Amino acid sequence: MKRAIILSLMVFMAIALHAQNDLQIYPLFEGKIIPQERMVVTRIKGMMMQKYRLSLFHSAVFDGTEEEAKRVSRLIEKEENIASSDYQSKKVKTLMRQLPAKKGKNRFLCFKSRNKSKGCHVVVIYMEGPLASLNELETILSFE
């Protein structure tokens, strides 16, 4: 019985991750761009996200060099998108992308880097769910 539960959980996690793994940025969440021990990775799904009209929230946060932040930013800029919103000042860069829907779910990708005295603080968020647009997402996140 225990094996069946564990196997079911592993299959469920693989299915949930499948929607993300076609993205340029996916290796970041796997620790292939920034080592896992330097990141805080958060995954929230299900009922906790319903009030935001999302079914999945997956984030990676790290402090890195300016070059690491640029590398991640370039990957996000390469993503195919149907809508985007970008902002840049001397210290902050924000990229927001609405990706093409997949399996009936709208998908979003957000990036924010803030220059610090030594390097950059970077936040990357992948989200999916019935939320309709980037404008609605910006309202929910108050990202800037």
Coordinates of all heavy atoms in Angstrom, one line a residue, residues 51-109:
K51 N -7.8 31.2 -4.8 CA -8.3 32.6 -4.7 C -7.6 33.6 -5.6 O -8.1 34.7 -5.9 CB -8.2 33.1 -3.2 CG -6.8 33.4 -2.7 CD -6.9 33.9 -1.3 CE -5.5 34.1 -0.7 NZ -5.6 34.6 0.6
Y52 N -6.4 33.1 -6.2 CA -5.7 33.9 -7.1 C -6.0 33.5 -8.6 O -5.4 34.0 -9.5 CB -4.2 33.8 -6.9 CG -3.8 34.3 -5.5 CD1 -3.4 33.3 -4.5 CD2 -3.9 35.6 -5.1 CE1 -3.1 33.7 -3.3 CE2 -3.5 36.0 -3.8 CZ -3.1 35.1 -2.9 OH -2.8 35.5 -1.6
R53 N -6.9 32.5 -8.7 CA -7.2 31.9 -10.0 C -6.0 31.3 -10.7 O -5.8 31.4 -11.8 CB -7.9 32.9 -10.9 CG -9.3 33.3 -10.4 CD -9.9 34.3 -11.3 NE -9.0 35.3 -11.6 CZ -9.2 36.6 -11.7 NH1 -10.4 37.0 -11.5 NH2 -8.3 37.5 -12.0
L54 N -5.2 30.6 -9.8 CA -4.0 29.9 -10.3 C -4.1 28.5 -9.7 O -4.7 28.2 -8.7 CB -2.7 30.6 -9.8 CG -2.4 32.0 -10.3 CD1 -1.3 32.6 -9.5 CD2 -2.1 31.9 -11.8
S55 N -3.5 27.5 -10.4 CA -3.4 26.2 -9.9 C -2.0 25.8 -9.5 O -1.8 24.8 -8.8 CB -4.0 25.2 -11.0 OG -3.3 25.3 -12.2
L56 N -1.0 26.5 -10.0 CA 0.4 26.2 -9.7 C 1.2 27.5 -9.6 O 1.1 28.4 -10.4 CB 1.0 25.3 -10.8 CG 2.5 25.0 -10.6 CD1 2.8 24.2 -9.4 CD2 3.0 24.3 -11.9
F57 N 2.0 27.6 -8.5 CA 3.0 28.7 -8.3 C 4.3 28.0 -8.0 O 4.4 27.2 -7.1 CB 2.5 29.5 -7.1 CG 3.5 30.6 -6.7 CD1 3.3 31.9 -7.1 CD2 4.5 30.3 -5.8 CE1 4.2 32.9 -6.7 CE2 5.4 31.3 -5.4 CZ 5.2 32.6 -5.9
H58 N 5.3 28.3 -8.8 CA 6.6 27.7 -8.7 C 7.6 28.8 -8.8 O 7.7 29.5 -9.8 CB 6.8 26.7 -9.8 CG 8.0 25.7 -9.5 ND1 8.3 24.7 -10.3 CD2 8.8 25.6 -8.5 CE1 9.3 24.1 -9.8 NE2 9.7 24.6 -8.7
S59 N 8.4 29.1 -7.7 CA 9.3 30.2 -7.7 C 10.7 29.7 -7.4 O 10.9 28.7 -6.7 CB 8.9 31.3 -6.7 OG 9.0 30.8 -5.4
A60 N 11.7 30.5 -7.8 CA 13.1 30.3 -7.5 C 13.7 31.6 -7.1 O 13.5 32.6 -7.9 CB 13.9 29.6 -8.6
V61 N 14.3 31.7 -6.0 CA 14.9 33.0 -5.5 C 16.3 32.8 -5.2 O 16.7 31.8 -4.5 CB 14.1 33.5 -4.3 CG1 14.7 34.8 -3.8 CG2 12.6 33.7 -4.6
F62 N 17.2 33.7 -5.6 CA 18.6 33.5 -5.3 C 19.3 34.9 -5.3 O 18.9 35.8 -6.0 CB 19.3 32.5 -6.2 CG 19.4 33.0 -7.7 CD1 20.5 33.6 -8.2 CD2 18.3 32.7 -8.6 CE1 20.5 34.1 -9.5 CE2 18.4 33.1 -9.9 CZ 19.5 33.8 -10.4
D63 N 20.4 34.9 -4.6 CA 21.4 36.0 -4.8 C 22.5 35.6 -5.6 O 23.1 34.5 -5.4 CB 21.9 36.5 -3.4 CG 20.8 37.2 -2.6 OD1 20.0 37.9 -3.2 OD2 20.8 37.0 -1.3
G64 N 22.8 36.3 -6.7 CA 23.9 35.9 -7.6 C 24.6 37.0 -8.2 O 24.4 38.2 -7.8
T65 N 25.5 36.7 -9.1 CA 26.3 37.8 -9.8 C 25.4 38.5 -10.8 O 24.3 37.9 -11.2 CB 27.5 37.1 -10.5 OG1 27.0 36.3 -11.5 CG2 28.4 36.4 -9.5
E66 N 25.9 39.6 -11.3 CA 25.1 40.3 -12.3 C 25.1 39.4 -13.6 O 24.1 39.4 -14.3 CB 25.8 41.6 -12.6 CG 25.0 42.6 -13.4 CD 25.6 43.9 -13.5 OE1 26.2 44.4 -12.5 OE2 25.6 44.5 -14.6
E67 N 26.1 38.7 -13.9 CA 26.2 37.8 -15.0 C 25.1 36.7 -14.9 O 24.5 36.3 -15.9 CB 27.6 37.2 -15.3 CG 27.7 36.4 -16.5 CD 27.2 37.1 -17.8 OE1 27.5 38.2 -18.0 OE2 26.5 36.4 -18.6
E68 N 25.0 36.1 -13.7 CA 24.0 35.0 -13.5 C 22.6 35.6 -13.7 O 21.7 35.0 -14.4 CB 24.1 34.4 -12.1 CG 25.3 33.6 -11.9 CD 25.5 33.2 -10.5 OE1 25.2 33.9 -9.6 OE2 26.1 32.0 -10.3
A69 N 22.3 36.8 -13.2 CA 21.0 37.4 -13.4 C 20.8 37.7 -14.9 O 19.6 37.5 -15.4 CB 20.9 38.7 -12.6
K70 N 21.8 38.1 -15.6 CA 21.6 38.4 -17.1 C 21.4 37.1 -17.8 O 20.6 37.1 -18.8 CB 22.9 39.1 -17.6 CG 23.0 40.5 -17.3 CD 24.2 41.1 -17.9 CE 24.4 42.6 -17.4 NZ 25.6 43.2 -17.9
R71 N 22.0 36.0 -17.4 CA 21.8 34.7 -18.1 C 20.4 34.3 -17.9 O 19.7 33.8 -18.9 CB 22.8 33.7 -17.5 CG 22.6 32.3 -18.1 CD 23.6 31.3 -17.6 NE 23.4 30.0 -18.2 CZ 23.8 28.9 -17.7 NH1 24.5 28.9 -16.6 NH2 23.5 27.8 -18.4
V72 N 19.8 34.4 -16.7 CA 18.4 34.0 -16.5 C 17.5 34.9 -17.2 O 16.5 34.4 -17.9 CB 18.2 34.0 -15.0 CG1 16.7 33.7 -14.7 CG2 19.0 32.9 -14.3
S73 N 17.8 36.2 -17.2 CA 17.0 37.1 -17.9 C 16.9 36.8 -19.4 O 15.8 36.9 -20.1 CB 17.5 38.5 -17.7 OG 16.9 39.5 -18.5
R74 N 18.0 36.5 -20.0 CA 18.1 36.2 -21.5 C 17.2 34.9 -21.8 O 16.6 34.9 -22.8 CB 19.5 35.9 -21.9 CG 20.3 37.2 -22.1 CD 21.6 37.0 -22.8 NE 22.5 36.1 -22.1 CZ 23.5 36.5 -21.2 NH1 23.6 37.8 -21.0 NH2 24.2 35.6 -20.6
L75 N 17.2 33.9 -20.9 CA 16.4 32.7 -21.1 C 14.9 33.1 -21.1 O 14.2 32.6 -22.0 CB 16.7 31.7 -20.0 CG 18.0 31.0 -20.1 CD1 18.2 30.1 -18.9 CD2 18.2 30.2 -21.4
I76 N 14.5 34.0 -20.2 CA 13.1 34.4 -20.2 C 12.8 35.2 -21.4 O 11.7 35.0 -22.0 CB 12.8 35.1 -18.9 CG1 12.9 34.1 -17.7 CG2 11.5 35.8 -18.9 CD1 12.8 34.7 -16.4
E77 N 13.7 36.0 -21.9 CA 13.4 36.8 -23.1 C 13.3 36.0 -24.3 O 12.6 36.3 -25.3 CB 14.5 37.9 -23.2 CG 14.5 39.0 -22.2 CD 15.7 39.9 -22.2 OE1 16.7 39.5 -22.8 OE2 15.6 40.9 -21.5
K78 N 13.8 34.8 -24.3 CA 13.7 33.8 -25.4 C 12.4 33.1 -25.5 O 12.0 32.5 -26.5 CB 14.9 32.8 -25.4 CG 16.2 33.3 -25.7 CD 17.2 32.2 -25.6 CE 18.6 32.6 -25.9 NZ 19.6 31.5 -25.8
E79 N 11.7 33.1 -24.3 CA 10.4 32.3 -24.3 C 9.4 32.8 -25.3 O 9.2 34.0 -25.4 CB 9.8 32.3 -22.9 CG 10.7 31.7 -21.8 CD 10.8 30.2 -21.9 OE1 10.2 29.5 -22.7 OE2 11.6 29.7 -21.1
E80 N 8.7 31.9 -25.9 CA 7.6 32.3 -26.8 C 6.5 32.9 -25.9 O 6.2 32.3 -24.8 CB 7.1 31.1 -27.5 CG 5.9 31.4 -28.4 CD 5.3 30.1 -29.0 OE1 5.9 29.0 -28.9 OE2 4.3 30.2 -29.6
N81 N 5.9 34.0 -26.3 CA 4.9 34.6 -25.4 C 3.8 35.2 -26.3 O 4.1 35.6 -27.4 CB 5.5 35.6 -24.4 CG 6.1 36.8 -25.1 OD1 5.4 37.7 -25.4 ND2 7.4 36.8 -25.3
I82 N 2.7 35.4 -25.6 CA 1.6 36.0 -26.3 C 1.3 37.5 -25.8 O 0.6 38.2 -26.4 CB 0.3 35.2 -26.3 CG1 -0.2 34.9 -24.8 CG2 0.4 33.9 -27.0 CD1 -1.5 34.2 -24.7
A83 N 1.9 37.8 -24.7 CA 1.9 39.1 -24.1 C 3.1 39.3 -23.2 O 3.5 38.3 -22.6 CB 0.6 39.3 -23.3
S84 N 3.5 40.5 -23.1 CA 4.7 40.8 -22.2 C 4.6 42.2 -21.7 O 3.9 43.1 -22.2 CB 6.0 40.6 -23.0 OG 6.1 41.6 -24.0
S85 N 5.3 42.3 -20.5 CA 5.4 43.6 -19.9 C 6.7 43.7 -19.2 O 7.1 42.9 -18.4 CB 4.3 43.7 -18.8 OG 4.4 44.9 -18.0
D86 N 7.5 44.7 -19.6 CA 8.9 44.8 -19.1 C 9.1 46.2 -18.5 O 8.5 47.2 -18.9 CB 9.9 44.7 -20.3 CG 9.9 43.3 -21.0 OD1 9.2 42.4 -20.4 OD2 10.5 43.2 -22.0
Y87 N 10.0 46.2 -17.5 CA 10.3 47.5 -16.8 C 11.8 47.4 -16.4 O 12.2 46.4 -16.0 CB 9.4 47.6 -15.6 CG 9.9 48.7 -14.6 CD1 9.6 50.0 -14.9 CD2 10.6 48.4 -13.5 CE1 10.0 51.0 -14.0 CE2 11.1 49.4 -12.6 CZ 10.8 50.7 -12.9 OH 11.2 51.7 -12.0
Q88 N 12.5 48.5 -16.6 CA 13.9 48.6 -16.2 C 14.2 49.9 -15.7 O 13.9 50.9 -16.3 CB 14.8 48.1 -17.3 CG 16.2 48.0 -16.8 CD 17.1 47.1 -17.7 OE1 16.6 46.6 -18.7 NE2 18.3 47.0 -17.4
S89 N 14.9 50.0 -14.5 CA 15.5 51.2 -14.0 C 16.9 50.9 -13.7 O 17.5 49.9 -14.2 CB 14.8 51.6 -12.7 OG 15.1 50.7 -11.6
K90 N 17.6 51.8 -13.0 CA 19.0 51.6 -12.7 C 19.3 50.3 -11.9 O 20.3 49.7 -12.0 CB 19.6 52.8 -12.1 CG 19.8 54.0 -13.0 CD 20.5 55.1 -12.3 CE 20.6 56.3 -13.2 NZ 21.3 57.4 -12.6
K91 N 18.3 50.1 -11.0 CA 18.5 49.0 -10.0 C 17.6 47.8 -10.2 O 17.9 46.7 -9.7 CB 18.4 49.5 -8.6 CG 19.5 50.4 -8.2 CD 19.4 50.7 -6.7 CE 20.6 51.5 -6.3 NZ 20.8 51.5 -4.9
V92 N 16.5 48.0 -10.9 CA 15.5 46.9 -11.0 C 15.2 46.6 -12.4 O 15.0 47.5 -13.3 CB 14.2 47.3 -10.2 CG1 13.2 46.2 -10.4 CG2 14.5 47.6 -8.8
K93 N 15.1 45.3 -12.7 CA 14.6 44.8 -14.0 C 13.5 43.8 -13.8 O 13.6 42.9 -13.0 CB 15.7 44.1 -14.8 CG 15.3 43.6 -16.2 CD 16.5 43.1 -17.0 CE 16.1 42.7 -18.4 NZ 17.2 42.2 -19.2
T94 N 12.4 44.1 -14.5 CA 11.2 43.2 -14.3 C 10.7 42.8 -15.7 O 10.6 43.6 -16.6 CB 10.0 43.9 -13.6 OG1 10.5 44.4 -12.4 CG2 8.8 43.0 -13.5
L95 N 10.5 41.5 -15.9 CA 10.0 40.9 -17.1 C 8.8 40.1 -16.8 O 8.9 39.2 -15.9 CB 11.0 40.0 -17.8 CG 12.4 40.6 -18.1 CD1 13.3 39.5 -18.6 CD2 12.3 41.7 -19.1
M96 N 7.7 40.3 -17.4 CA 6.5 39.4 -17.2 C 6.0 38.9 -18.6 O 5.9 39.7 -19.5 CB 5.4 40.3 -16.5 CG 5.8 40.7 -15.1 SD 4.5 41.6 -14.3 CE 3.4 40.3 -13.9
R97 N 5.8 37.6 -18.6 CA 5.4 37.0 -19.9 C 4.1 36.2 -19.7 O 4.0 35.4 -18.7 CB 6.5 36.1 -20.4 CG 7.8 36.7 -20.6 CD 7.8 37.6 -21.9 NE 9.1 38.1 -22.2 CZ 9.5 39.3 -21.9 NH1 8.8 40.1 -21.2 NH2 10.7 39.8 -22.3
Q98 N 3.2 36.3 -20.6 CA 2.1 35.4 -20.7 C 2.5 34.4 -21.8 O 2.6 34.8 -22.9 CB 0.7 36.0 -21.0 CG -0.4 35.0 -21.0 CD -1.8 35.6 -21.0 OE1 -1.9 36.8 -21.1 NE2 -2.8 34.8 -21.1
L99 N 2.6 33.2 -21.4 CA 3.0 32.1 -22.4 C 1.8 31.5 -23.0 O 0.7 31.6 -22.5 CB 3.8 31.0 -21.6 CG 5.0 31.5 -20.7 CD1 5.5 30.4 -19.9 CD2 6.0 32.2 -21.6
P100 N 2.0 30.9 -24.2 CA 0.8 30.2 -24.8 C 0.2 29.2 -23.9 O 0.9 28.5 -23.1 CB 1.4 29.5 -26.0 CG 2.7 30.3 -26.3 CD 3.2 30.7 -25.0
A101 N -1.1 29.1 -23.8 CA -1.8 28.2 -23.0 C -1.4 26.7 -23.4 O -1.1 26.5 -24.5 CB -3.3 28.4 -23.1
K102 N -1.4 25.9 -22.4 CA -1.1 24.5 -22.6 C -2.1 23.6 -21.8 O -2.3 23.8 -20.6 CB 0.3 24.2 -22.1 CG 0.8 22.8 -22.6 CD 2.3 22.8 -22.4 CE 2.8 21.5 -23.0 NZ 4.3 21.4 -22.8
K103 N -2.7 22.7 -22.5 CA -3.7 21.8 -21.9 C -4.8 22.6 -21.1 O -5.2 22.3 -20.0 CB -3.0 20.8 -21.0 CG -2.1 19.8 -21.7 CD -1.6 18.8 -20.8 CE -0.7 17.9 -21.6 NZ -0.1 16.8 -20.9
G104 N -5.3 23.7 -21.8 CA -6.3 24.5 -21.2 C -6.0 25.4 -20.0 O -6.8 26.0 -19.4
K105 N -4.7 25.5 -19.7 CA -4.2 26.3 -18.6 C -3.4 27.5 -19.2 O -2.5 27.3 -20.0 CB -3.4 25.6 -17.6 CG -4.2 24.5 -16.9 CD -3.4 23.9 -15.8 CE -4.2 22.8 -15.1 NZ -3.4 22.2 -14.0
N106 N -3.7 28.7 -18.7 CA -2.9 29.9 -19.0 C -1.6 29.8 -18.2 O -1.6 29.3 -17.1 CB -3.7 31.1 -18.7 CG -4.9 31.3 -19.6 OD1 -4.8 31.0 -20.8 ND2 -6.0 31.8 -19.1
R107 N -0.5 30.2 -18.8 CA 0.8 30.1 -18.2 C 1.4 31.5 -18.1 O 1.4 32.2 -19.1 CB 1.6 29.1 -18.9 CG 1.0 27.7 -19.0 CD 1.9 26.7 -19.6 NE 2.4 27.1 -20.9 CZ 3.5 26.7 -21.5 NH1 4.3 25.8 -20.8 NH2 3.9 27.1 -22.7
F108 N 2.1 31.8 -17.0 CA 2.8 33.0 -16.9 C 4.2 32.8 -16.3 O 4.5 31.9 -15.6 CB 2.0 33.9 -15.9 CG 0.6 34.1 -16.3 CD1 -0.4 33.3 -15.9 CD2 0.3 35.2 -17.1 CE1 -1.7 33.5 -16.2 CE2 -1.0 35.4 -17.5 CZ -2.0 34.5 -17.1
L109 N 5.1 33.7 -16.7 CA 6.5 33.6 -16.2 C 6.9 35.1 -15.9 O 6.8 36.0 -16.7 CB 7.4 33.1 -17.3 CG 8.8 32.8 -17.0 CD1 8.9 31.7 -15.9 CD2 9.5 32.2 -18.2

